[in-house]
Amino acid sequence: MKMRKIMNSMEVKAGNVVIGGNFPIVIQTMCNTHTSDVEASVSQCIRLYEAGAQLIRLTVPSLAQVENLKQIKDELRSRDIDTPLVADVHFSSEIAIAAAEVVEKVRINPGNFHKDHEQARAQFARLVQVCKENGTAIRIGLNHGSLGERITGLYGNTPLAMKEAVMEWLKMCVENDFYNVVVSLKASNTYVMTEAYRLLAKEMQETGIVFPLHLGVTEAGNGDGGRIKSAVGISALLSEGIGDTIRVSLTEDPANELPVAAYLADRYGHRLHSSMVSLKLEGKKATATYAAPSKERLLLDFACDFGKRLLDKELDEVELCGTYMHDGEEQILDGSSYAEYLVDELMQAARRRFYRPEYIACPGCGRTMYNLEKTFEEVKRRTAHLKGTVIAVMGCIVNGPGEMADADWGYVGEGNGKVSIYKGKSPVLKHVPEAEAIDRLLELIKADD
């Protein structure tokens, strides 16, 4: 059913799902199982399908796992689950080419596709040919932390650099007469993320070739903070008509991402409205009154109502009033500690005021070789006093150090029970046993202070 005009973008087909054009926003997530564990991956895909995922992504770190991917797809199809699968490929163009024969969509990261630009062009042409033959879509998925040296040398580590890097690849799509393409420019910094997408949307409109956009705040973390941060970045763009498919990246069970994504798709598909009942403006201060049906709705409504205004500096301050329902009882917001907490979280997500450390944490996937969710919670507990410090907890070397480019300190899993600890972009300790790694991180931070 066609419901929504989205920035005049083209329609892209990934199996039985259409992304872009007038079609509704598509919601997706990613497995955190090891793709080589076919049984676990199939089981999780079924759970995600039942939870409403319209696309499901799995990591493919080796050629051997392309065969596992085929087994997963065959098992799902035998159960009449036809949700399109996406292969997540980073460092090997050969894996991307092989996976394109198996799944409905392949995600490649331009910054990791091939170090030599001319070799990258040649390999991309090969990939495109396989995709044409198999009806496979491509996502050109660039992340802020994986910009190549050539691009950063020209434009710096900026939203402009992200836009320019992606435009090079979109021009290659046009040269190869291939348009079954979705694009993303993710960052953990909501300002960088929204500015990069806005720049790209503007340039695509000017060229007259508008590819659909996949939105997400990468490495958003978990809990309320991860949800608010994701909602701020994604809603700021959806409210401007930018965005065709979304993934909310949380360091939690991937099924937990889908209710947040569904909320955003419903709200900006005009099927859901905010629970705010009144708004008073005094200069750059807003006082908002809500009658929210639940704690979860209050959090998301508040983030979407004011995230963009704070990001764009239309407002400097927000006061939260009214009520919300929780456990069957009406809760009062006026002057409450919970209202103050939500305002603090929103200001932090919009990068206007930092009241606690800023955390960058990937959601985890089949490349993660340790208990990421448990470790992240422990890092948060033991670093909560470090206001304003940016700390990254990353599942593997693919996401760290590149994706934690903004971090002061980083905890990066190596596999085999070992961890690397980074200061900025440089590893200062390697092969640290997991049992000691948080202690060593805290010792380094203390010594540096």
Side-chain angles (χ1 to χ4, degrees):
M1 178 174 62
K2 296 187 177 185
M3 295 184 63
R4 182 175 178 268
K5 190 70 173 174
I6 306 176
M7 212 185 70
N8 300 313
S9 59
M10 292 180 288
E11 295 178 5
V12 166
K13 289 198 70 176
N16 59 1
V17 169
V18 181
I19 303 167
N22 289 329
F23 283 81
I25 298 164
V26 173
I27 65 172
Q28 55 182 287
T29 186
M30 183 173 181
C31 286
N32 61 8
T33 53
H34 297 289
T35 307
S36 56
D37 189 339
V38 173
E39 184 179 351
S41 297
V42 168
S43 177
Q44 189 170 79
C45 283
I46 292 170
R47 259 198 325 118
L48 297 176
Y49 158 75
E50 291 173 345
Q54 294 170 289
L55 287 171
I56 300 173
R57 183 159 40 118
L58 299 101
T59 186
V60 192
S62 71
L63 277 170
Q65 291 186 344
V66 174
E67 178 57 32
N68 298 137
L69 199 62
K70 184 177 187 304
Q71 294 169 8
I72 292 165
K73 180 182 176 181
D74 289 346
E75 180 62 27
L76 291 171
R77 300 300 178 260
S78 74
R79 299 173 185 233
D80 295 324
I81 296 174
D82 58 2
T83 304
L85 301 182
V86 184
D88 190 71
V89 181
H90 278 264
F91 293 108
S92 171
S93 52
E94 292 295 337
I95 295 174
I97 291 165
E101 297 185 9
V102 174
V103 294
E104 289 83 2
K105 188 179 174 190
V106 174
R107 180 274 173 108
I108 60 169
N109 187 333
N112 296 338
F113 194 70
H114 205 291
K115 289 185 177 180
D116 181 83
H117 188 60
E118 290 308 312
Q119 284 291 320
R121 290 175 63 87
Q123 287 293 86
F124 185 67
R126 284 184 58 205
L127 173 62
V128 163
Q129 186 57 40
V130 172
C131 288
K132 286 180 178 180
E133 292 168 1
N134 290 273
T136 309
I138 292 176
R139 171 157 70 99
I140 297 175
L142 184 136
N143 284 0
H144 181 213
S146 58
L147 289 169
E149 290 183 9
R150 185 178 63 85
I151 287 291
T152 54
L154 291 170
Y155 305 103
N157 194 23
T158 63
L160 176 62
M162 295 171 70
K163 184 267 291 186
E164 291 292 338
V166 160
M167 282 305 301
E168 286 188 351
W169 286 73
L170 295 184
K171 288 172 184 174
M172 285 170 16
C173 293
V174 175
E175 289 167 5
N176 286 278
D177 193 31
F178 184 72
Y179 299 92
N180 205 34
V181 175
V182 179
V183 194
S184 66
L185 301 91
K186 295 186 181 181
S188 62
N189 179 315
T190 50
Y191 174 80
V192 170
M193 173 259 191
T194 52
E195 286 305 300
Y197 277 106
R198 286 165 171 167
L199 288 170
L200 178 61
K202 183 174 184 291
E203 179 144 344
M204 289 196 300
Q205 289 279 40
E206 289 171 352
T207 64
I209 302 175
V210 181
F211 292 90
L213 292 175
H214 167 127
L215 304 185
V217 178
T218 193
E219 282 90 44
N222 65 359
D224 294 344
R227 286 162 174 76
I228 291 172
K229 193 174 186 181
S230 293
V232 166
I234 295 171
S235 71
L237 295 165
L238 290 178
S239 68
E240 298 171 14
I242 297 172
D244 305 88
T245 179
I246 56 179
R247 190 243 172 138
V248 174
S249 297
L250 298 176
T251 312
E252 299 180 20
D253 185 319
N256 294 350
E257 299 175 351
L258 293 165
V260 186
Y263 163 89
L264 291 164
D266 286 343
R267 174 169 174 143
Y268 294 98
H270 308 296
R271 298 181 295 274
L272 187 69
H273 301 286
S274 172
S275 60
M276 184 169 64
V277 293
S278 71
L279 175 62
K280 179 182 177 183
L281 295 173
E282 295 180 9
K284 286 197 167 187
K285 177 183 177 180
T287 301
T289 301
Y290 286 81
S294 68
K295 201 171 187 178
E296 294 74 18
R297 273 294 303 276
L298 172 66
L299 181 149
L300 293 172
D301 284 348
F302 185 51
C304 292
D305 289 336
F306 294 101
K308 172 180 162 60
R309 300 181 193 191
L310 289 166
L311 267 177
D312 295 344
K313 298 186 178 177
E314 295 173 10
L315 294 173
D316 292 332
E317 191 177 351
V318 182
E319 182 179 353
L320 180 57
C321 302
T323 62
Y324 65 96
M325 297 300 296
H326 185 60
D327 291 338
E329 295 186 5
E330 187 176 78
Q331 306 293 322
I332 305 298
L333 285 164
D334 303 54
S336 69
S337 59
Y338 187 62
E340 182 180 343
Y341 161 74
L342 287 182
V343 169
D344 282 341
E345 283 291 333
L346 181 60
M347 296 297 281
Q348 176 124 355
R351 305 189 71 81
R352 298 301 304 279
R353 183 178 70 233
F354 294 88
Y355 83 104
R356 58 166 173 78
E358 177 74 354
Y359 295 105
I360 299 171
C362 70
C365 68
R367 296 184 298 266
T368 304
M369 304 301 289
Y370 69 100
N371 191 326
L372 179 62
E373 293 177 32
K374 181 180 177 181
T375 299
F376 180 43
E377 279 300 314
E378 185 64 9
V379 169
K380 286 173 67 176
R381 185 184 71 82
R382 296 183 63 184
T383 61
H385 59 290
L386 299 172
K387 177 181 175 180
T389 304
V390 184
I391 300 170
V393 180
M394 314 302 285
C396 69
I397 198 64
V398 170
N399 283 326
E403 300 310 319
M404 59 182 202
D406 293 335
D408 299 313
W409 298 93
Y411 178 115
V412 180
E414 296 178 2
N416 298 316
K418 298 296 174 62
V419 173
S420 288
I421 297 174
Y422 282 72
K423 181 180 180 182
K425 296 181 182 180
S426 302
V428 290
L429 288 177
K430 290 187 174 183
H431 317 313
V432 181
E434 282 180 35
E436 304 172 13
I438 298 177
D439 288 336
R440 302 297 295 276
L441 172 65
L442 289 168
E443 288 167 7
L444 286 167
I445 295 173
K446 185 176 180 180
D448 188 64
D449 287 343

